[in-house]
Amino acid sequence: MEQYTGKSIFKKIAIGRVYFYEKSEYQVKREKIEDPEQEIKRLEAAKVVAISQLDRIYQKAVKEVGEDNAAVFEVHKMMLDDEDYLDAISNTIQDEKVCAEYAVATTGDNFAAMFAAMDDEYMKARAADIKDISERLVAVLLGRDTDMGALDEPVILVADDLAPSETVQMDKSKLLAFVTEHGSSNSHTAILARTMNIPALIGIPINREWRGRMAVVDGYTGTVTIDPDEKYLETMRAQKEEDEKKRQLLSELKGKETVTADGKKSIHLYANIGSVADTASALANDAEGIGLFRSEFLYLESSTYPSEEEQFQAYKTVAQNMGGKKVIIRTLDIGADKQVDYFNLDKEDNPALGYRAIRICLTRKDIFKTQLRALLRASAYGNISIMFPMIISVDEVHQIKAILQEVKDELKAEGIEYKDVEIGVMIETPAAVMISEELGREVDFFSVGTNDLTQYLLAIDRQNPKLDEFYDPHHPAVLRALQMVIDNGHKGGAWVGICGELGADLTLTETFLKMGVDELSVSPTFVLPVRDAVRRCDTTKW
Ligand code: PEP
Ligand code: MG
C-alpha cells in the first residue's frame, strides 16, 4: 500500500480504480521509418478505431445533449474520411519517410493553420475540429487512452494537470475523484470538482504505473492510497458510510427556510452551476434558485462558437428546470485560465490582467449580442437575470445597457417575446469596490466574486499553486471590501450577494449575516450545510 498526501479541494471519500488521463498534446517524435506502406496501414487502422470512438461518443451525446449539439461528432467522423486530409498525411509518410504519428500531427497543424487564416468565421472555427481529430488519431496510434466513454465503471481520474475545458468535457457519471500533480485550489477545475460533488486532490506526485490499480482518495486528509490493504479499505468504507449518514441528516433541511434560529434574519440561498445538467443537483440540494450560471462553460464544451439557438435552448432549459425560481446567468467570462481554442486569443504575459470577460464582449460585439439575444429570448420562459463579469467602470455598464437596448429593439421589431430582466454586475475588481456606490445606482444587484476579488486585492495569481498559502480570502482587505460593497450597494438600491467560493465558508456565515449580505450562492453540495449554519445563528446574541 502506497500513500501520498497533497492538498484537498473537496472533503469526501472515493474508492475505486485509477484511470490515468494523459493530455492530448503528446510529444510526437519525428521518427524515420523504413516501410511507408506499413505506416499507411497503421494510419488506416487508427482511422477505423477513431471513427468507432466517435460513433460511441455521438450516440452518448445525442442522449445527453440532443441531436443538434451532438452533430459536431458526425462532422469529425466525416473529416476523418476527408480525402485531402488523408492524402496529405500519406504523402508526408511517403515523401519524408516518417512515422504516421508525426505525419498526422504536422498535417493537422498545417490544415488547422490554413483554416484559422480564412476570413469566413465558420471555416475559421473548423481549425479546432482539425486539431481535435488529429489529436484523436495520434492518441490511437500511440495506444493512449482518450476515450472515457469506453469505461464500464466509474474511476478515480489521475492526471498531471487538468484545464477547465478538459474537465468540463468529461463524462461526470464515470468520475469518482480527481487526483492531479499540478493545479491550484482556486482554479476553475477545483471549482468544477466541488460542483460535481467529488473529492479532488492536488499536489500529488502521480505515477503512470498506478493505471488500473485500486485506490482510495480521502478528501479529509488530502491523501491518496494506492493498493489499499483490506484493513484500511474497511476503515474508509465505514467513514464513507458515516459521511452518507451526515448528508442524510442535512437532507432534513430541505424545504426549510434559510433563517436564523430566532427567525429575525433570512437570506436567499442559491446555487452556482456550470451546465444545464447541474440544475438537477441544484434542485436536489434544494437551492432557492441559481445565483451564478457560468455560461462560459457552454463555450468551453463546444468546438466552435455556440449558436444563438444552442444557447437559447440551454438557458431556456435551465429557466424551465428551475420552474420560476431566480436564475442568474453570467455572460461569457473567458480568458485567463479559461481558454477556448476557436477564439484564437493571443498569448499574453499577464492573462489574469488581460483580454478577458466583459473586455472581450465589449470589443467583439457580435459574440456578445448573440449571447444577449439568446438570454432575452429565454427570459420569456422563466425568471432570468443577467450578470456581467469583471466590471471596472460605470462607462462599461452604460455600454452594456446600450447594447442590451439594441438587442431588445431588434427582438421587438422581429416580434420575439422577452421579459424586462434584472441586471447585475460581479464585484471582483478593486475598481468595482471603490466605485460600488455609483455602480449600485446603475444595476439591480451585485454579486461579489471573492475568487477574483481576493486575487486582485492581494495581487496573488489564483492559478499559481505556489501561492496557495498566501491566498487568504479571510484577509481584512477582502472582508472590509465586502462590507463596503454591501453598504454602497444598499445605498444605491442594489441587493448584494456573494457567489465566490468564500460564500460557502461556514466559518464566515455569521459574519456575512452581520454584514448585511442578502444572498449567498454556493456549489450545490454546500447549499444545505450553509442553510444549517444560518439556522444555527441567533441575532439576539449579537
Ligand atoms: C469569482 O471570481 O469569485 C467568481 C465567482 O467567478 P469565477 O470563479 O468564475 O472567476
Ligand atoms: Mg471571477
Side-chain angles (χ1 to χ4, degrees), residues 134-152:
S134 305
E135 282 169 3
R136 180 172 296 282
L137 264 184
V138 171
V140 175
L141 283 162
L142 289 172
R144 302 253 169 109
D145 262 347
T146 52
D147 187 11
M148 287 192 72
L151 293 171
D152 46 21

Side-chain angles (χ1 to χ4, degrees), residues 54 58 70-82 122 126 129 133 303:
L54 284 165
Y58 173 74
V72 60
F73 301 113
E74 284 287 283
V75 174
H76 281 194
K77 268 167 55 185
M78 272 165 13
M79 286 172 125
L80 269 173
D81 255 334
D82 182 83
Y122 178 82
R126 300 280 74 76
D129 294 315
I133 60 162
S303 58

Side-chain angles (χ1 to χ4, degrees), residues 108-120:
D109 284 349
N110 293 341
F111 271 58
M114 193 171 77
F115 278 106
M118 291 182 180
D119 285 334
D120 182 292

Side-chain angles (χ1 to χ4, degrees), residues 339-384:
Q339 288 296 330
V340 184
D341 279 356
Y342 54 86
F343 271 77
N344 290 318
L345 299 178
D346 292 334
K347 226 176 158 28
E348 295 178 307
D349 286 341
N350 287 306
L353 305 180
Y355 187 53
R356 55 172 294 195
I358 201 69
R359 299 166 189 180
I360 296 179
C361 290
L362 290 176
T363 48
R364 293 185 67 177
K365 243 173 96 177
D366 50 331
I367 295 173
F368 195 32
K369 280 182 76 173
T370 302
Q371 182 169 37
L372 292 177
R373 272 183 71 95
L375 284 166
L376 284 172
R377 282 175 57 198
S379 72
Y381 298 84
N383 182 5
I384 286 180

Side-chain angles (χ1 to χ4, degrees), residues 186-188 191 272 292 294 296-297 330 333 337-338 356 387 389-390 426-428 447-456 462 471 498-502 521:
N186 310 299
S187 66
H188 285 93
I191 290 171
N272 293 346
L292 167 65
R294 289 181 163 94
E296 59 274 12
F297 285 115
R330 174 174 78 184
D333 183 11
D337 66 322
K338 288 178 283 195
R356 55 172 294 195
M387 176 158 78
M390 284 294 291
M426 302 256 327
I427 303 288
E428 49 187 350
S447 193
V448 184
T450 50
N451 310 335
D452 276 318
L453 186 58
T454 306
Q455 148 164 280
Y456 297 126
R462 68 192 261 198
Y471 182 97
I498 301 175
C499 64
E501 297 297 289
L502 198 65
S521 189

Side-chain angles (χ1 to χ4, degrees), residues 43 77 84 101 141 180 260 300 314 348 485 489-490 492 522 542:
L43 171 69
K77 268 167 55 185
D84 289 342
E101 290 85 332
L141 283 162
T180 67
T260 54
L300 284 162
E348 295 178 307
V485 170
H490 289 169
V522 298
W542 290 358

Side-chain angles (χ1 to χ4, degrees), residues 187-440:
S187 66
H188 285 93
T189 299
I191 290 171
L192 280 170
R194 282 183 211 116
T195 307
M196 287 156 71
N197 186 22
I198 58 173
L201 307 181
I202 54 173
I204 300 283
I206 61 159
N207 187 334
R208 286 180 80 180
E209 283 170 16
W210 298 350
R211 198 189 296 257
R213 282 157 73 180
M214 199 59 194
V216 175
V217 174
D218 181 351
Y220 291 92
T221 57
T223 307
V224 58
T225 307
I226 310 294
D227 296 333
D229 59 28
E230 211 27 64
K231 193 163 155 249
Y232 182 73
L233 261 179
E234 229 171 79
T235 320
M236 295 316 283
R237 280 195 194 112
Q239 200 175 325
K240 202 162 173 272
E241 250 175 57
E242 204 49 43
D243 256 15
E244 220 27 74
K245 278 194 201 132
K246 275 194 204 139
R247 248 183 289 281
Q248 285 292 339
L249 268 180
L250 276 177
S251 72
E252 286 170 15
L253 292 179
K254 286 184 195 170
K256 301 239 164 91
E257 267 186 280
T258 309
V259 65
T260 54
D262 56 330
K264 283 273 153 54
K265 204 161 178 52
S266 65
I267 56 156
H268 294 292
L269 184 52
Y270 299 151
N272 293 346
I273 61 167
S275 69
V276 177
D278 290 343
T279 51
S281 149
L283 287 168
N285 285 285
D286 199 31
E288 215 187 296
I290 302 298
L292 167 65
F293 176 11
R294 289 181 163 94
S295 71
E296 59 274 12
F297 285 115
L298 292 180
Y299 293 72
L300 284 162
E301 275 167 354
S302 178
S303 58
T304 182
Y305 296 99
S307 65
E308 177 185 322
E309 191 58 28
E310 279 164 351
Q311 293 190 60
F312 163 66
Q313 290 299 342
Y315 306 144
K316 176 180 155 194
T317 310
V318 171
Q320 287 179 327
N321 286 356
M322 295 308 291
K325 292 179 171 165
K326 195 181 259 315
V327 173
I328 301 176
I329 303 179
R330 174 174 78 184
T331 57
L332 182 65
D333 183 11
I334 59 157
D337 66 322
K338 288 178 283 195
Q339 288 296 330
V340 184
D341 279 356
Y342 54 86
F343 271 77
N344 290 318
L345 299 178
D346 292 334
K347 226 176 158 28
E348 295 178 307
D349 286 341
N350 287 306
L353 305 180
Y355 187 53
R356 55 172 294 195
I358 201 69
R359 299 166 189 180
I360 296 179
C361 290
L362 290 176
T363 48
R364 293 185 67 177
K365 243 173 96 177
D366 50 331
I367 295 173
F368 195 32
K369 280 182 76 173
T370 302
Q371 182 169 37
L372 292 177
R373 272 183 71 95
L375 284 166
L376 284 172
R377 282 175 57 198
S379 72
Y381 298 84
N383 182 5
I384 286 180
S385 304
I386 308 180
M387 176 158 78
F388 303 96
M390 284 294 291
I391 296 299
I392 57 164
S393 72
V394 172
D395 180 55
E396 283 171 344
V397 179
H398 288 164
Q399 287 185 53
I400 290 167
K401 282 182 172 173
I403 298 172
L404 196 61
Q405 192 53 51
E406 230 175 274
V407 175
K408 283 182 181 176
D409 292 344
E410 285 170 16
L411 291 175
K412 205 172 199 172
E414 292 167 43
I416 298 174
E417 217 189 315
Y418 63 87
K419 279 192 194 145
D420 249 338
V421 295
E422 275 200 347
I423 60 163
V425 289
M426 302 256 327
I427 303 288
E428 49 187 350
T429 63
V433 174
M434 300 312 289
I435 60 163
S436 45
E437 194 173 336
E438 291 92 315
L439 287 174

